[in-house]
Amino acid sequence: METERLILRWMRPDDEDALFAVLGDPISMKYYPAAFTREDVRSWIERWRKSYAENGYGLYAMALKATGKVIGDCGHARQEVDGATEIEIGYHVLRELQGQGYATEAARACAEYGFERLAAEKVISLIRPENLPSRRVAEKVGMKVEKEILRKDLVHLVYSILRSA
Ligand SMILES: CC(C)(COP(=O)(O)OP(=O)(O)OC[C@H]1O[C@@H](n2cnc3c(N)ncnc32)[C@H](O)[C@@H]1OP(=O)(O)O)[C@@H](O)C(=O)NCCC(=O)NCCS
């Protein structure tokens, strides 16, 4: 996928260092139970590579078009919510580059791709209520809070947007 400033492409094992800078940052990842270890990042890349093979989609590496530098990830994750299979859009951006609209640009492209290429009727984002930057991204993509659920004992808001919206 290509946007004005970004390329979203399949993750590769050699993205480990760049993604560790994003997902291993304890300040940025404060709404997660813990920042990722290097081993977590390796499993993360493997998980999505398996998902590309099995589902044709997953979370993708987010790279700057201008330089090719990987500055985060964004993409599609299969999630079970109240017994239904949904397509979630997830995103993480390098702390130094947050606040410049990258997550929103990537998430918009992923929503469009979800509707047009994955034939999704709806896409969602699962977000902790206190994660205001993430909620703002979902809102800028046009999502609205549908309901609240418990996930791993933590309250999450289910943001969603319908294809017809
Ligand atoms: C969530 C995240 C991906 C956003 O990335 P980003 O590239 O900075 O996002 P954008 O620049 O597109 O938009 C961020 C919005 O949040 C707003 N924001 C930032 N901090 C905020 C705060 N403390 N309170 C309210 N809004 C805030 C920004 O002002 C911006 O909105 P605006 O365009 O209306 O000004 C990034 O913060 C991140 O990687 N967080 C850690 C990982 C994470 O929590 N991922 C989401 C899991 S659900």
Side-chain angles (χ1 to χ4, degrees):
M1 248 176 284
E2 199 175 315
T3 68
E4 191 190 337
R5 296 175 296 171
L6 300 168
I7 301 273
L8 300 178
R9 59 148 176 85
W10 286 5
M11 288 181 192
R12 304 186 302 245
D14 68 352
D15 292 323
E16 181 186 319
D17 287 349
L19 289 174
F20 182 62
V22 177
L23 302 166
D25 178 344
I27 296 177
S28 186
M29 295 292 279
K30 65 184 171 198
Y31 301 112
Y32 280 72
F36 285 29
T37 62
R38 271 205 174 263
E39 192 45 46
D40 292 336
V41 174
R42 252 173 253 139
S43 308
W44 186 249
I45 294 171
E46 273 321 298
R47 170 180 169 188
W48 297 120
R49 289 176 64 79
K50 197 161 163 244
S51 176
Y52 309 145
E54 284 174 4
N55 308 314
Y57 61 81
L59 253 66
Y60 318 107
M62 178 198 293
L64 290 177
K65 227 189 216 176
T67 60
K69 179 182 159 71
V70 171
I71 62 157
D73 63 21
C74 184
H76 306 101
R78 234 156 103 120
Q79 296 282 5
E80 297 295 318
V81 178
D82 292 342
T85 301
E86 309 279 12
I87 292 187
E88 183 193 20
I89 297 178
Y91 32 73
H92 305 87
V93 169
L94 189 66
R95 180 153 49 93
E96 291 77 30
L97 295 178
Q98 289 175 7
Q100 298 183 40
Y102 288 124
T104 304
E105 190 171 318
R108 277 198 186 119
C110 286
E112 212 169 286
Y113 187 98
F115 295 137
E116 286 174 10
R117 304 282 298 276
L118 304 178
E121 289 300 329
K122 175 166 98 171
V123 294
I124 66 164
S125 280
L126 301 175
I127 306 179
R128 301 265 308 273
E130 50 278 55
N131 192 345
L132 298 179
S134 181
R135 292 179 63 171
R136 182 76 194 116
V137 171
E139 283 157 12
K140 287 194 286 179
V141 169
M143 294 190 183
K144 296 202 165 51
V145 177
E146 183 185 317
K147 59 185 166 184
E148 239 179 60
I149 58 165
L150 264 187
R151 221 172 161 76
K152 295 177 187 154
D153 289 334
L154 296 168
V155 174
H156 283 75
L157 301 172
V158 181
Y159 272 86
S160 68
I161 181 170
L162 297 174
R163 178 211 288 265
S164 53

